[in-house]
Structure formats: structure tokens, C-alpha cells
Amino acid sequence: MINYEEPGLWLLATPSSAYVVRLGPDGAPRCAHWGPRLTPDQARALPPGREELPGEGGERFGVAGLQVRYGDAVRGVEWRHLGHEIDPGGDGAAGHLVIRMADRHYPLEIDLHYRVRPGSDAIDRWTTLRNTGDEPITILRCDSAAWTVPQREDYRLTHVTGGWGAEFQVRRTALATAETVLTSRRGHSGHHANPWVMLDAGDATEDHGEVWSAALAWSGSWRITVERDHDGRAGWSGGFGHEGVTWRLGPGEALETPAFSGVYSAEGFGGISHRWHDHVRRHVLPEPRRVRPVVFNSWEATEFDISQAQQMELAELAAGIGVELFVMDDGWFGGRTGETAGLGDWWPNPERFPDGLTPLVEHVKRLGMAFGLWVEPESVNPDSELYRTHPEWVLRQPNRHPTEVRNQLLLDFSRDDVADWAYDRLDELVTGDDIAFLKWDMNRPFTEAGDEVWVPYIRNVYAVIDRLRAAHPHLMIEGCASGGGRADLGMIARTDQIWTSDDTDAAQRIAIQHGYGQIYPACTMGAWVTDSPNAITGGRTPLAFRFHVAMAGALGIGGDLRRWGPEDLEQAKHLVARYKEIRPVVHGGRMDRLADWAVQYTLDADVVVLSWRPTMLVRATAPLRLRGLDPDGRYRDEDTGEICHGALLMSHGLPRPWPFEGVSELKRFTRVG
């Protein structure tokens, strides 16, 4: 809520933090405080700090989150306060503050937005620019917000890095006295990075210490620049686009940036994750209470070599182990028998499905499952009817050779006619075949993209998904970009879950899921049980181990069930049933990382602990101490019936008698009495 305001001073309060903005002597809005809750008297005593959106010009020599060039080539901003608009929130409504600014001479207005949602510790911030003059203004850079942390003796930076099949690898390093740039220039949020950042004073643990963080709700190119200056001050500025991308703001036009949300916690990295998970579940997800079904996906079982009879056989086996949603992946449409043809022709392959998809869909539904499809609406093969009909729809530039990636080109979604085509075709597909689920993939970066493409492209992708959801309220969508290449708050706001990585090797998935869960909740994390040896890595792990890793997210099955023996299928049936029992706790409960190799979920009286030992390098001899229990409470082990004391589970923990690798464990407790 907007807790307090007076001329030139605004106090925003969340359940466990406060944010104070005040106008500086130069008229620029400045951050006075971001941290523990404050009273209005305490807020008044604070001096203004660093600018809320640093520009260029004058004595500004740090990171410039706002860079503009006017028609006479003058650059920079001199701030002038126009006023503010405020909705204090309360009674279930979000509080919204708009601080209205303008340049002292040029016709540019700048609105700084702040939103605080009920019960959430996240503060959403974004910026709107308006050209109120008669000449265009060039926007060289417009970040959503800059965030300043209090001065400390030292700072540590936390972010994730990686690549295809190795996304979300957590990195914690001392923050250099310099500018550290985290970015994606690929047109999507990226496998090698993710648009969020955390800072602490170098002393935070999972349970203790102050941590400041922010995440950008944008699924295209982005940049976050973290700065530590020689005076020991630190913070960051971030937003959409990357260096070299500009916007032309015509007379009367406005540019609005995506939200860049910040969360503070005095309870360590675990406390930050708890607050992010709660915020995403309550205020970001489009259908937060929707149950994520157990999915079977055909890709690793069949790849492109599919047929109606084969898919029906897989559906029967999937239904037999308790799968709730059957998804047919790539290879069902057009002339798509491999990577080189058919992409863009979204109708059933007439040779593989001579009667369309209806016989398969009806078969799946008779088995008690819903039906879903894989699609990649943003790309096209040159060998396709779509490309032959509309070659002008491809993203390209004059006098430049179009780059093919994976034998495909990118459709120019910044064009409204392309976005309308995509919506119409998907709407027809979902309606005609009663599709309950779309796996929306995006498998290549932007190439040959001009300045006018980067932002409207992503906004049109958002618009197509939003229209589909509005027209088909039952439809579930999984966001995918060759795995986790487009996992961010912007995509999570429009999808039900994210395909976390194409690497389905359970041993390697542990680190991927560990990094994903720093910000994003388990209910959004798609995770499959596939074959052993793994199709990508060749790694071998027991079936129970693979299930236990995947049960830490939104469970899916991706193996070739035709090759599983009767004992494997029976064990899978038992583990799927067990997962359905713990699913409400995993998806809706508080997640605690007990170690890099163990996680606990707690919801009311129910506790679930999943732990794994992928290799002999994982130390697994120390007891696993639980968190967040009632020390005076008693908890029943649901598998053995043993009654355990909460205090002892937290102080002495669970023993780890694991002499071998590839071992895992699922423990369930219920508070009694």
C-alpha cells in the first residue's frame, strides 16, 4: 500500500519492507530507503539518495537508465516535477503511485510508476515517456527502473548463467567496483542468463541476512547493469532492449516499459525466494489455482517419426500409469517429417493423420485424459506452404542475407498481420480439435531485426497468447524456448508453466531446478521423467530417482513407455499416485532449500521432503535438518507411522544413510494433535 505521502515524499509499505522516494534539491526523484519497514517520522528524517531513473548530462557519470536525443541533438534530462497521482490501495486493491515529471525545456514527460499489491512484498516499477511536442524524440535507452541498496562494507552479486541444456546455474561472486552488465541480445530472455539480480552484503545465508533483488517482466532482449562505485555505493538499472536499440517517439506518442519488480528480505536467500514465490502465485500467474496435470509428452519417445497408431499406443500406456494430459509434440503437421520442412503449416499431416486429429483426440479423451499439441508459431521453414505464400512475413532487412537457424526463419511478429494470422490459425486449431494444452515453443534468436522490431514483436506475442486465453478459458499453455530460453515474469504472466530445460537427465536437472527456484515457484517448473540411459547425456539413473527429481516441479513423463517393462510401469503408476498426493503441497507450499540436493515443501500441516544423491561427490552423511516447523508440534511420518517432534526434526534432522550414488528419497509428514 502507499503508506504515507506529503509534498516531495512518498512512503510505500509491504508486509515486511518499506520504500521511500523523495525529491532532491535538483528536482529529481531519488531513493531515500529500501529495506525494513519505517514510520512516516523515520522516513522524513532520511536524506534523498541516488536518482530513481538516472539520466545523462550534468555531473552524471554513472549508469544512465534514461538516454534521449532531441531534434536539435541535445541529450539528457533536467527534471521538473509536475505532480503526482495516488491510489493508496487497501481492501484487496493494489496501491498505485505515479510521480509525474517533465524535462525543464523539451516536450518530454516522464511518469514513474510504483505498484504495491495486497499481501505481496514485491514493488512493481515501470516508466512511461510521452512526447508532447511537434517533433520526434529519439529514445536511446529507457529502463523500467533503477534500484539502490543501502551502503554496506561489501557486496555480493547473485545471478544465473548457463546455456542450452544447462540453464539457471547459480553464481554468487563479489561485486566488482565497476559496472557489471547482465544481458540478452537474442530477442528472448536467454539460456545464458535470466532477467533477475540479487545483492547482499556478502554475509547472507539461506536463513539469515539482508538480500535485495529485482526481476524484469519481459520476454525479449534485456539489460541489467549493476554498479558499484568508488564511494562504496551499489545498485542497478534495468529494462528491455540492449545497447544499440533505439526508439523513435513521434509527436503525441508514448512508450511504456515493462515492470521491473523488487523484493527485499532480511531472512536470507530463502526469504527472498519465499516472497517471490508467493508474489508469482498470487499476482502474476493467470490461473494461480489451476491444478497442473501430470503430462505425457511424445518428443523423446518418437521425435519426428510419429503415426496415429503409435500415438494411440503411447496414450494407452500413459493413461495406465495415471497421466492426466497427453501431448503430441513436433511432427504432427504439414510436411513436417524432420527439421527442414513444414514449420508454419499448422494442419494435420494428411499421410500420418488421414482423418485429421479427431480419432486420436477422441481416443485420448476416452482414456480419461485431456489432449495437447506442440506448436512453434513464431518460426517458419523455407520449405513450407506458409513461406511460399508469404515470403514477405519473414524477419529480414534489405541488402542482408536472411540467417537460417535450425533450418528455419523467424516470422516478423512485430507485424500485426502476422500476429493476426497466428491467432486465427491457433484459435481454429484449439476450437476444431478441442485442444486443452499448447506447448508454445520458440527455437531461434532474432536475426536481421531493425530497431522497430524488438519491442512490438514481444508485445504481439503477448497479445496473441492473451487473446487465446480469453477466447478459450480452459486452455493451458506451457512456455518453451529450446528449454528455458524464455522463462521470465512476462511469460509466466501468460502461461501456466515453463519448460525448464531440454536436458531431462535427472542428475543434471537438480542444479537447473535449484537455480530456477530462486525466483520462480515449483508449480511453474515443467519437469519430465524420461528414459535411462538419457537420450541427450547418456546418463543412467534409477526410475525412482528420476521421478523424485521431477516431482519437485510440475511432473511430466517423456520416456518411451513402450520400452518400459511391466515392473517399471507398475512402479511409475505408484509414483504418479504418490505425486498427486503431494502435488498441493509442492505447488502451493513454502519451499525451503535444505541443501543443494534437498528441498522441503510445507503447507499448513503437511510437509514434503525430496532429496537426491546424484553422484558420490555429494556429501550425504550429515543429517538433513528441516525448517519452519512448530518446535512444539508432533509430526507423523506418513510412510512408517512414526511420530517425530518438530524440534528434533529441525535440530537433529533426518539421517542420510546413503552410501551409493543415484539414490533418492521422498518423505511425507503430517502434523498431528
Side-chain angles (χ1 to χ4, degrees):
M1 60 182 295
I2 313 302
N3 196 48
Y4 180 79
E5 60 94 10
E6 62 181 47
L9 175 69
W10 299 270
L11 169 60
L12 291 74
T14 78
S16 62
S17 69
Y19 194 91
V20 178
V21 186
R22 69 184 316 162
L23 298 180
D26 58 354
R30 295 176 175 271
C31 175
H33 173 80
W34 184 25
R37 285 178 65 97
L38 298 179
T39 66
D41 281 346
Q42 293 165 340
R44 286 192 205 97
L46 291 165
R50 305 178 85 184
E51 285 184 88
E52 287 286 87
L53 188 62
E56 57 181 351
E59 292 186 287
R60 302 183 184 99
F61 303 107
V63 176
L66 179 60
Q67 296 176 286
V68 298
R69 183 173 63 233
Y70 306 102
D72 57 2
V74 171
R75 295 168 64 130
V77 173
E78 291 187 359
W79 296 93
R80 176 167 61 93
H81 183 222
L82 299 180
H84 71 276
E85 300 168 8
I86 190 167
D87 179 348
D91 295 328
H96 186 190
L97 166 67
V98 185
I99 301 176
R100 300 189 61 238
M101 308 295 297
D103 187 85
R104 291 186 182 278
H105 176 78
Y106 291 94
L108 179 67
E109 292 186 356
I110 307 112
D111 289 349
L112 303 182
H113 296 262
Y114 303 78
R115 181 174 58 208
V116 183
R117 300 179 188 268
S120 173
D121 273 305
I123 299 171
D124 302 328
R125 294 179 56 193
W126 68 98
T127 299
T128 303
L129 302 183
R130 278 188 302 277
N131 181 351
T132 60
D134 299 324
E135 300 292 332
I137 299 173
T138 301
I139 310 301
L140 304 171
R141 181 74 194 168
C142 183
D143 281 350
S144 297
W147 296 89
T148 302
V149 304
Q151 196 159 356
R152 297 291 186 262
E153 289 296 322
D154 202 359
Y155 302 99
R156 180 170 52 178
L157 170 66
T158 299
H159 62 109
V160 290
T161 185
W164 175 82
E167 300 91 333
F168 307 109
Q169 307 297 307
V170 176
R171 297 288 183 267
R172 288 201 171 109
T173 58
L175 181 63
T177 304
E179 295 176 10
T180 302
V181 179
L182 310 174
T183 189
S184 170
R185 305 179 184 92
R186 300 168 186 255
H188 54 67
S189 39
H191 298 81
H192 64 289
N194 201 257
W196 62 260
V197 66
M198 297 179 188
L199 284 187
D200 74 293
D203 57 358
T205 66
E206 274 294 307
D207 301 304
H208 304 288
E210 291 185 301
V211 183
W212 295 263
S213 66
L216 184 67
W218 185 246
S219 307
S221 290
W222 56 274
R223 186 183 71 184
I224 299 173
T225 305
V226 189
E227 181 182 28
R228 180 179 185 177
D229 66 22
H230 289 276
D231 294 325
R233 297 170 299 186
W236 61 84
S237 183
F240 57 8
H242 55 271
E243 69 282 354
V245 175
T246 63
W247 296 269
R248 180 184 181 277
L249 199 61
E253 292 182 347
L255 174 67
E256 184 169 288
T257 70
F260 194 20
S261 304
V263 172
Y264 162 83
S265 171
E267 298 171 352
F269 297 109
I272 279 286
S273 294
H274 300 155
R275 288 159 174 77
W276 277 117
H277 296 170
D278 288 345
H279 174 69
V280 171
R281 285 190 297 237
R282 295 181 59 184
H283 301 295
V284 178
L285 281 168
E287 295 285 345
R289 297 180 181 177
R290 175 175 278 170
V291 175
R292 274 65 180 170
V294 178
V295 173
F296 175 84
N297 183 286
S298 68
W299 174 248
E300 289 199 18
T302 66
E303 296 194 356
F304 292 109
D305 185 20
I306 67 174
S307 68
Q308 179 174 295
Q310 166 213 72
Q311 295 294 303
M312 286 182 171
E313 180 184 5
L314 285 168
E316 291 168 5
L317 292 167
I321 63 172
V323 166
E324 297 161 313
L325 171 67
F326 184 89
V327 179
M328 184 164 57
D329 210 278
D330 201 351
W332 62 269
F333 53 90
R336 187 74 164 175
T337 58
E339 284 191 350
T340 62
L343 197 61
D345 299 339
W346 301 110
W347 56 80
N349 181 297
E351 295 181 2
R352 295 178 168 185
F353 300 95
D355 299 315
L357 297 180
T358 301
L360 175 59
V361 174
E362 292 302 319
H363 182 70
V364 167
K365 291 166 69 174
R366 281 194 298 269
L367 292 167
M369 299 181 293
F371 184 80
L373 285 173
W374 176 94
V375 293
E376 190 176 355
E378 299 164 62
S379 293
V380 63
N381 289 127
D383 184 5
S384 67
E385 291 302 315
L386 177 64
Y387 183 77
R388 285 186 281 271
T389 304
H390 288 290
E392 76 280 7
W393 282 3
V394 168
L395 193 59
R396 66 175 76 219
Q397 289 186 314
N399 307 313
R400 292 293 179 262
H401 181 73
T403 303
E404 286 190 30
V405 179
R406 301 176 81 247
N407 302 293
Q408 61 195 57
L409 299 169
L410 202 63
L411 293 172
D412 186 356
F413 256 66
S414 70
R415 295 175 53 138
D416 290 342
D417 55 351
V418 172
D420 288 340
W421 162 84
Y423 171 77
D424 290 342
R425 188 65 202 98
L426 294 174
D427 175 64
E428 181 182 353
L429 188 66
V430 171
T431 301
D433 289 304
D434 194 21
I435 305 301
F437 180 98
L438 290 178
K439 184 180 180 73
W440 182 304
D441 208 346
M442 193 271 194
N443 278 304
R444 56 154 292 166
F446 285 21
T447 55
E448 292 78 52
D451 285 344
E452 70 284 355
V453 167
W454 300 88
V455 171
Y457 181 106
I458 299 299
R459 287 190 165 148
N460 270 349
V461 169
Y462 287 167
V464 172
I465 297 176
D466 291 345
R467 290 176 66 190
L468 280 171
R469 296 195 75 107
H472 306 280
H474 72 285
L475 181 67
M476 294 187 66
I477 299 177
E478 180 177 67
C480 176
S482 289
R486 196 152 69 179
D488 53 77
L489 294 180
M491 191 54 63
I492 288 175
R494 293 165 171 84
T495 60
D496 299 280
Q497 59 192 53
I498 297 293
W499 178 231
T500 321
S501 176
D502 283 346
D503 184 354
T504 59
D505 185 317
Q508 297 188 7
R509 265 289 185 130
I510 295 170
I512 294 170
Q513 295 179 181
H514 175 80
Y516 182 92
Q518 300 291 318
I519 296 286
Y520 310 121
C523 64
T524 68
M525 185 175 70
W528 292 354
V529 177
T530 57
D531 294 330
S532 180
N534 183 266
I536 294 177
T537 69
R540 296 178 181 270
T541 47
L543 184 62
F545 184 96
R546 284 173 269 151
F547 262 95
H548 288 157
V549 172
M551 289 161 77
L555 176 65
I557 313 295
D560 189 350
L561 299 179
R562 299 168 299 175
R563 295 167 48 200
W564 292 21
E567 292 183 359
D568 287 340
L569 292 172
E570 187 60 31
Q571 186 181 14
K573 181 179 180 179
H574 167 77
L575 288 165
V576 168
R578 182 61 52 87
Y579 167 76
K580 291 176 181 177
E581 294 172 1
I582 68 171
R583 176 167 52 189
V585 184
V586 173
H587 289 188
R590 160 178 159 154
M591 185 194 79
D592 286 289
R593 294 179 289 268
L594 305 182
D596 290 348
W597 43 269
V599 64
Q600 172 188 334
Y601 302 92
T602 307
L603 181 64
D604 300 326
D606 296 312
V607 180
V608 172
V609 180
L610 288 158
S611 53
W612 320 274
R613 190 182 191 188
T615 71
M616 297 294 286
L617 299 177
V618 173
R619 285 185 56 112
T621 56
L624 197 60
R625 296 167 58 193
L626 275 57
R627 295 189 178 130
L629 305 184
D630 180 355
D632 298 322
R634 299 190 304 155
Y635 294 81
R636 181 178 61 245
D637 186 319
E638 292 297 338
D639 295 306
T640 67
E642 179 185 1
I643 301 299
C644 307
H645 294 275
L648 298 183
L649 287 171
M650 290 190 292
S651 61
H652 291 264
L654 301 172
R656 301 262 63 78
W658 289 357
F660 307 111
E661 64 182 34
V663 180
S664 60
E665 188 174 44
L666 165 62
K667 299 288 289 183
R668 299 176 301 152
F669 297 92
T670 302
R671 183 178 173 181
V672 297

